Each structure stands twice: as structure tokens, then as C-alpha cells.
Amino acid sequence: MLTADLARSRTSDGKVMPLFIDSEDAQYRETASELIELFETHVGEPKADLDTAIDQLTVADTDYKIIQGLAKLLRDECDFETVAAAEPREIRQRLFARANDSYPIVRQPTLGEDIQKLDVYTAVADELGISLAECHQGMYADLDANNRLVRFGDQVAESVELDTDGTTSTTQLTGQSEEAYTGKALTVEWLLHRYNLALAQAVLYDATELRIRVWDHFATTFSYVKLFGLMHRIYPIDEHGERVSSTDLAAGYEAILDGPASLFRQSRKYGIRMANFLPALPHCERWDLTAEILTDESANETREFALDQTAGLQTHYTGGSRYDSDLERTLADKWERANTEWELVREDDVIDLGAEVLLPDFALEHPDGRRAILEIVGFWTPEYLEEKLAKVRQTDVDNLLLAVSEELDCTSEDIDLEADRVLWFKTGIHVYDVVDLAEAYAVQAPSAGP
């Protein structure tokens, strides 16, 4: 994504809108092509050389933010690593030790006992079994500016040329296989569309609330809501976007995603999660969003941000995965190794809470027919959790269990809830804690019929 200093937007009549660029504009396409070619020609080169080339291109163009923004997105598709024939720290230690023993070091000796700098490098290179050029190049190869661009998109540097004092040698990349750097080919179209998406994401860094409506691809959309741990309330809606009383009447769903301003800590981290969610929406053929953007925190002043499918944004996200978050994946992995009769399965059903719906994460199934449902709650506030619990209590879902993160340093003392229906966790969910809750609250699953 873009950093805040590279964001471009306009505020007018109480509304904020990203300054999208025309992906068909000849000038922007030429700039994008030049940047991609610049990165391609610097594969295997030091990061400092790449940065210098980008700065030179920026000086020649008046659209500083656009060029630097495009370059930032291309950097996100790069891998930089230390490339050296020997460990840089080992090279330095040997050089400094030998230089100390041979003090003083001079470039142009005037006495027979004076030692040239070149002699020190040569001696250390011989000790390490590397060339003089590799010794000189490797001394500070672990500095950020000297890290090499080893992957850009689908291009992988298999070797790096080291040139010092007119000599050239080749050092193979060590410790990594080519498979570790697999990527995709980057095109002008990809970059310009990715830039417009990033501009919209940057606006959401300061969102206090985000309302989305989708009429298709529900599973993919809400899997990303859960992937990024966003607090959410989901309501069934009709074809016109109006809320309806039950899922039986639903043509789509509206979700309210609470923004970072509703949290009492980690608002920056949460704001990035809000922005990270946005690329999930272009998976839908029909969608829209409305967000309140905080423009003046001291005065609590906000502006509206509205967007829909007509903006032409394109997603780079996949169509979804088996698990919606690392927490879910870790729990599933632990479950496979656990000694329990309970089976952990994905739960795809929508639980109708009346005017609101719930999309649980897992179902717990026992061979004797008992069944429990597990919902994992990441980010939350006391008000959000109380509202969710109140909705659950109003239904007849007696076997619904909640696993609630303590990441925000809240405990059951902060809210009025039945603690025995909730499993509090810090860094991870323990299998046997979930099993204990399932044993207490699971109900007999209804028969599938004759």
C-alpha cells in the first residue's frame, strides 16, 4: 500500500475522493513502463542504485507523488537480501583485527614497514578463500543500501556481478532456492490499476466507520472481513439495499465495519486492516461502500467517502482460502494433532439473528450427534461485544460459543457477559479449552430426515 505522504485525494462539499489516474492515459502508461523496466534492469543490483535511479526519474517528471507512489508499489513486489561470498560480519572482524595488528595503515607507503590497505584486504580474502573483489564488496553487504534486489515480480537474480578495482567475479545467491522467490509478471495495466486501488485504501487509514453492501460473492467478501479481524455487524438487505427482516428476504448483505476511532488502542494498526480489506470488494459484480473519514481529530470533524463498482477498481486478492485468518489455521492445525473425538469443521451456514446475521467460523461435531458452533472474535470494544452477545441471547442458538481475544487488554470484568459462554484467549486458542465448552453446551444435531 501507499504511505500517507504519497496519498492523493481531494476534499469538497464535505466529501473526500481519491485522485484516481486514467489507466489508459499515454503519459501514465509510459511512466509505468519506464519504472517497470528500471526495476527489471536493477535485478541483482544494490538497493541504493535502484533508489538513485528512481530519484533521477522523479526529478525529470513533475508528478513526484505519482512516480514515487508507483515505485512504492513496485518495491512491495521486490525481495532484497544480503548477497556476499562470506558473512559480512566475519569479513569486518578479520579486516579490523588485521588492520589493528598492522597499524598504521596507509594508502601510499613511504617506509618499507608500512602496510598498504590493499595488503590487508588481500590477506583476509586469502584466509576466507574468496577473491579480493568479493572481500571488498562483502564488507558492508549487509547494510540496507547495499542489499541486492534478488526478486522483482517473476524475475529472479541467479547471480550478482561484483566489480571492484576493475575485476569482476560472480557470487551465487546462498541460502535460498529459486522457488522461494516465485512471483508474477508485472505489467503496466497491473501497476496503474493497483495504484488507483492503493489511493482508495489510503483514504481508509482514518476511517471511523465503513459501511459496505454486496449483492454477490458473499463468502469471499466476509472471509476477508474475518481475515483482517474487523469488528462487524451484518444485516440482510433487498435488491435496493434496504434492510429486511430475515435472510429469507435477502438479495444481499450490508456490513458495518467499525473503524480505528472506535478502539481505545492500536488505532493505526486497525486502520491498516480496514484499508487491507478494500481489495476484497472488487471481487463482487455489484458493491458499494460509504465511510466516515476523520479529517480533524481535535474537532472530531469527518468527511464522507463513497465508492462503488463503477470506479473500475480491480483486485489483486485471490477468491478466498480455506481459513479466514491465521488464528483459524493454527487452531485447525492443533486440532489435527489433538486427541479428541470432537471434529472441527468449517461452518458455512448463516445464522439468522432476526434483523442481523452471524457467520460463524467453525462447527464442532461429535460422533454421537452433538454439535456446537464456534465464532472467533478478534478486535472488539465492550460495546461491540455486548451488542453481539445480546443478539445471540435473543436467539435460540444455545450451542454458540465465542472465543474472544484479550489483545486489547480487556477482560470479562469490563463487560456484562456470561463468562461460561466465552473462551478468553491471548496468543492462541487451546484445543481442550474449546472441547470443554463444547461438552457443556453442544446440542443434538437435528436429523437429516428419513
Side-chain angles (χ1 to χ4, degrees), residues 123-151:
V124 171
D126 291 341
E127 291 176 2
L128 295 173
I130 61 179
S131 71
L132 176 61
E134 290 170 338
C135 182
H136 187 274
Q137 188 76 43
M139 182 179 181
Y140 292 112
D142 53 349
L143 294 182
D144 182 69
N146 294 332
N147 283 344
R148 299 297 179 108
L149 175 55
V150 297
R151 182 193 66 82

Side-chain angles (χ1 to χ4, degrees), residues 4-195:
D5 60 306
L6 296 177
R8 299 170 60 250
S9 62
R10 177 181 64 249
T11 301
S12 177
D13 297 329
K15 300 181 183 296
V16 59
M17 178 57 64
L19 294 175
F20 294 131
I21 62 175
D22 181 1
S23 61
E24 299 300 323
D25 183 274
Q27 181 180 349
Y28 292 137
R29 295 183 66 84
E30 180 180 355
T31 298
S33 179
E34 289 178 359
L35 276 169
I36 292 173
E37 182 179 357
L38 187 152
F39 274 76
E40 290 174 342
T41 57
H42 280 80
V43 172
E45 299 299 319
K47 184 179 180 182
D49 292 355
L50 173 63
D51 291 341
T52 298
I54 294 172
D55 290 341
Q56 290 175 346
L57 181 62
T58 303
V59 170
D61 198 298
T62 56
D63 289 331
Y64 171 85
K65 277 193 172 184
I66 294 179
I67 292 181
Q68 289 293 333
L70 293 171
K72 167 60 171 63
L73 298 177
L74 291 177
R75 282 193 188 95
D76 290 344
E77 301 299 320
C78 295
D79 285 327
F80 295 91
E81 285 198 1
T82 297
V83 177
E87 179 63 39
R89 178 178 295 184
E90 177 71 13
I91 297 175
R92 288 195 295 270
Q93 289 176 341
R94 289 176 180 259
L95 283 172
F96 295 153
R98 183 169 288 275
N100 183 66
D101 294 339
S102 305
Y103 181 83
I105 303 296
V106 295
R107 289 181 179 274
Q108 298 296 329
T110 57
L111 301 175
E113 62 270 18
D114 287 342
I115 304 298
Q116 290 192 40
K117 183 179 181 181
L118 181 61
D119 294 338
V120 175
Y121 276 104
T122 301
V124 171
D126 291 341
E127 291 176 2
L128 295 173
I130 61 179
S131 71
L132 176 61
E134 290 170 338
C135 182
H136 187 274
Q137 188 76 43
M139 182 179 181
Y140 292 112
D142 53 349
L143 294 182
D144 182 69
N146 294 332
N147 283 344
R148 299 297 179 108
L149 175 55
V150 297
R151 182 193 66 82
F152 171 63
D154 62 347
Q155 296 192 28
V156 179
E158 296 182 354
S159 62
V160 177
E161 299 296 325
L162 303 175
D163 299 303
T164 305
D165 297 334
T167 60
T168 302
S169 63
T170 302
T171 300
Q172 296 295 326
L173 296 178
T174 58
Q176 295 285 350
S177 64
E178 184 168 336
E179 288 75 13
Y181 298 105
T182 55
K184 58 182 177 298
L186 304 181
T187 64
V188 168
E189 288 74 16
W190 174 90
L191 179 56
L192 296 180
H193 284 296
R194 181 70 185 85
Y195 179 69

